Amino acid sequence: MKDEACIFCKIANGVIPSTTVYEDEDFRVILDLGPASRGHALILPKSHFRDLCEADPLLTAKIFPLAGKIGAAMKQGLGASGFNVVQNNGASAGQTVFHLHIHVIPRYEDGPAMVSWTPEKADTEELAKTASMIKKALKITR
């Protein structure tokens, strides 16, 4: 399934040119035009899914192995010391293009801080209440 109006569908399927670093029958991996660091790549499924919640589980099962392969190539080829795998769902989470995509962002020693947060103290009672709400939505009874 493809969305003719979706820019990432067009890029993933070769209608719009991109700097491609990897391609197979399910994905095209391109360099991001607005990179967080040198080598920042996007894994674009060739099929259109608005976000992770709508995606085909058989397709999503292939994403983390591919992200690991791309990240390892960044470490070897670019000298990155690590990498982040980021996937945003919804505008409030930072998703700006509503086609499932995964960022693989190489990290370098002494590079800028990104994809981080300051841990807060979690209250045991609040954790239990939050877990209960999530389990209810998942329809888990225990």
Side-chain angles (χ1 to χ4, degrees):
M1 171 175 70
K2 294 169 185 50
D3 179 340
E4 297 299 323
C6 174
I7 190 164
F8 277 6
C9 279
K10 292 176 183 176
I11 295 169
N13 291 285
V15 176
I16 295 175
S18 63
T19 306
T20 300
V21 297
Y22 175 88
E23 183 177 9
D24 63 23
E25 62 277 357
D26 296 314
F27 303 99
R28 181 181 298 262
V29 181
I30 66 167
L31 293 182
D32 195 312
L33 292 177
S37 68
R38 184 173 60 95
H40 179 166
L42 300 176
I43 299 174
L44 304 177
K46 291 183 177 180
S47 298
H48 183 80
F49 300 100
R50 180 176 171 80
D51 58 26
L52 186 61
C53 298
E54 291 185 1
D56 176 355
L58 295 175
L59 180 87
T60 59
K62 299 175 183 179
I63 291 175
F64 267 101
L66 178 54
K69 181 178 186 171
I70 299 300
M74 291 170 169
K75 290 172 73 173
Q76 181 181 354
L78 301 176
S81 55
F83 60 95
N84 293 106
V85 177
V86 179
Q87 201 284 309
N88 303 320
N89 286 278
S92 63
Q95 186 178 10
T96 58
V97 178
F98 292 89
H99 176 108
L100 173 67
H101 59 285
I102 293 80
H103 298 260
V104 183
I105 305 169
R107 302 295 299 270
Y108 302 95
E109 293 298 328
D110 300 318
M114 62 179 98
V115 191
S116 63
W117 59 88
T118 304
E120 297 180 7
K121 179 75 173 141
D123 174 81
T124 305
E125 200 172 293
E126 183 61 29
L127 287 174
K129 181 179 174 184
T130 301
S132 176
M133 293 165 68
I134 295 169
K135 287 179 179 182
K136 182 177 178 183
L138 290 169
K139 297 178 178 34
I140 296 173
T141 57
R142 42 182 162 129

